[in-house]
Amino acid sequence: MTKKFRSQEKNKALYAMTSQLHQRVILVSSWIEVFIYKHFKRNNIRRNEEDISGKCVVLTGGSSGIGRSSAREFARRGAKVVIGDVDLVNGQQVVNEIQQQTGNMNVKLQKILELDLSDMDSVEQFARRVSKECPKIKILLNNAGIGGSKDENIKTKDGFNIHVAVNYMGHFLLTNLLMENIKAETNSRIVSTTSMLMLISELDIDDLNMDRSGFGLMNCLPYCNTKFCLALFTKALGMCCGFNSYAVDPGAVNTPIMHSNDTPSYLKFLFRMQMNSIATAADEVASEFMMFCALEKSIKNETGRVYRFRKPFHQANEKLDIDLAKRLWEKSSELVRLSERLARMK
């Protein structure tokens, strides 16, 4: 082994150690921030919301977790809520529950609104049906997602890693296919659910499926990278397309995403350990954070940013490079065959 080779290997090892230390510092500081908000700042909330009575709200992943709670909040405000979800059985139960709780019968989930974000053809079919159902869309909430990953790089029929498809690519396509409906509504908004874990992403646009890089420390890269992609997409929507777009980091939330079979056991253990001290219930996240980005009047002229605890998330926003966002948009458009699908929508 040459001296030069040993030096290169030593530098790689040092970089890996530094990167892991940096990730831990970010996570610990973020958890401290969650704890402070949860126990000391929550009672200071002041609301100044847009009126969405009779307006159309479209959201993904409404059968559980944040999506379910957000659908309920929108319905309480008199919106016509259209839910897209792969779980139609549980989803219909959610719709019935929300209608009973809120008295709003405009919450709809029918077979024609089935949505499988891992399948780009399903996304296109959903968008076509929603486009007819809602000529004007006030709010699009890109919320559905999957969490922890195991070692296997599961691919969809479109050739995407399952996390890339569900967390990001499906939402990228859906948003683009519904743009005309969103533009048709006054002061419409696009809101996407991201995560503080985007801060430790290692995104390579030429390796979106992570075939070469692997899944990183604790197999977290699929989740981290796709949440970063959503934030970059938010940046591009706001800075290049003129939409009011917002990404929300909800903090640590007790939702089914962390209890799935794909989540490694050690992550489930860590998640349970932090639940009592820093985690927020999905109902509170929907009411406090999701409604802020979807409805708060004070930010209606802001766009392309990540929010956390009802204020800009500076660490995340500093990571959003507009040139990188443009490159990701171009690559994503190519991979989902956006031009071809847009032509079929007309």
Side-chain angles (χ1 to χ4, degrees), residues 43-272:
N43 295 330
N44 296 325
I45 289 177
R46 299 291 184 270
R47 298 178 186 271
N48 185 19
E49 297 181 349
E50 297 268 0
D51 181 9
I52 56 170
S53 300
K55 301 295 184 179
C56 182
V57 175
V58 179
L59 63 89
T60 65
S63 66
S64 63
I66 296 173
R68 178 178 188 160
S69 299
S70 295
R72 186 185 299 111
E73 290 294 329
F74 288 129
R76 283 174 177 161
R77 289 160 174 79
K80 175 182 178 181
V81 185
V82 178
I83 299 171
D85 202 291
V86 70
D87 185 353
L88 291 181
V89 175
N90 190 44
Q92 187 59 56
Q93 293 176 352
V94 171
V95 170
N96 295 340
E97 170 193 298
I98 293 174
Q99 289 174 341
Q100 292 172 2
Q101 291 176 349
T102 66
N104 185 346
M105 303 307 291
N106 285 325
V107 186
K108 296 191 176 183
L109 180 60
Q110 303 169 8
K111 186 175 182 181
I112 62 169
L113 297 183
E114 179 179 3
L115 173 62
D116 181 356
L117 286 163
S118 71
D119 181 348
M120 298 305 111
D121 290 335
S122 174
V123 174
E124 182 180 335
Q125 292 166 10
F126 174 79
R128 186 177 292 111
R129 291 157 181 169
V130 169
S131 183
K132 294 178 181 178
E133 181 84 18
C134 300
K136 295 182 179 181
I137 297 175
K138 181 70 171 179
I139 299 162
L140 171 62
L141 174 54
N142 294 319
N143 169 75
I146 53 178
S149 174
K150 295 184 178 180
D151 293 329
E152 185 180 1
N153 196 339
I154 299 172
K155 297 291 182 64
T156 69
K157 76 171 193 178
D158 300 288
F160 300 127
N161 167 275
I162 187 68
H163 288 77
V164 173
V166 175
N167 292 358
Y168 168 64
M169 208 65 78
H171 286 124
F172 171 84
L173 177 59
L174 176 63
T175 304
N176 274 278
L177 295 181
L178 292 178
M179 274 186 177
E180 294 305 313
N181 303 69
I182 298 170
K183 288 178 182 176
E185 181 61 84
T186 304
N187 295 323
S188 56
R189 302 190 189 192
I190 301 169
V191 181
S192 299
T193 305
T194 185
S195 168
M196 67 179 180
L197 292 177
M198 64 164 278
L199 296 176
I200 57 175
S201 62
E202 298 177 12
L203 182 65
D204 180 352
I205 291 179
D206 295 320
D207 185 30
L208 286 177
N209 283 327
M210 293 153 286
D211 293 318
R212 297 192 299 270
S213 69
F215 288 174
L217 180 67
M218 297 190 297
N219 292 333
C220 281
L221 273 190
Y223 186 77
C224 300
N225 284 359
T226 51
K227 289 302 180 180
F228 183 38
C229 285
L230 274 179
L232 287 169
F233 181 42
T234 296
K235 179 82 169 182
L237 282 168
M239 298 296 100
C240 304
C241 302
F243 287 95
N244 290 331
S245 60
Y246 311 86
V248 186
D249 166 27
V253 190
N254 189 3
T255 69
I257 196 171
M258 286 304 299
H259 301 289
S260 71
N261 293 331
D262 290 329
T263 302
S265 57
Y266 58 85
L267 282 182
K268 291 181 180 179
F269 173 75
L270 291 175
F271 184 69
R272 285 194 296 268

Side-chain angles (χ1 to χ4, degrees), residues 63 200 252 277 311 319 321 343:
S63 66
I200 57 175
S277 59
K311 62 182 181 180
K319 191 177 172 71
D321 179 78

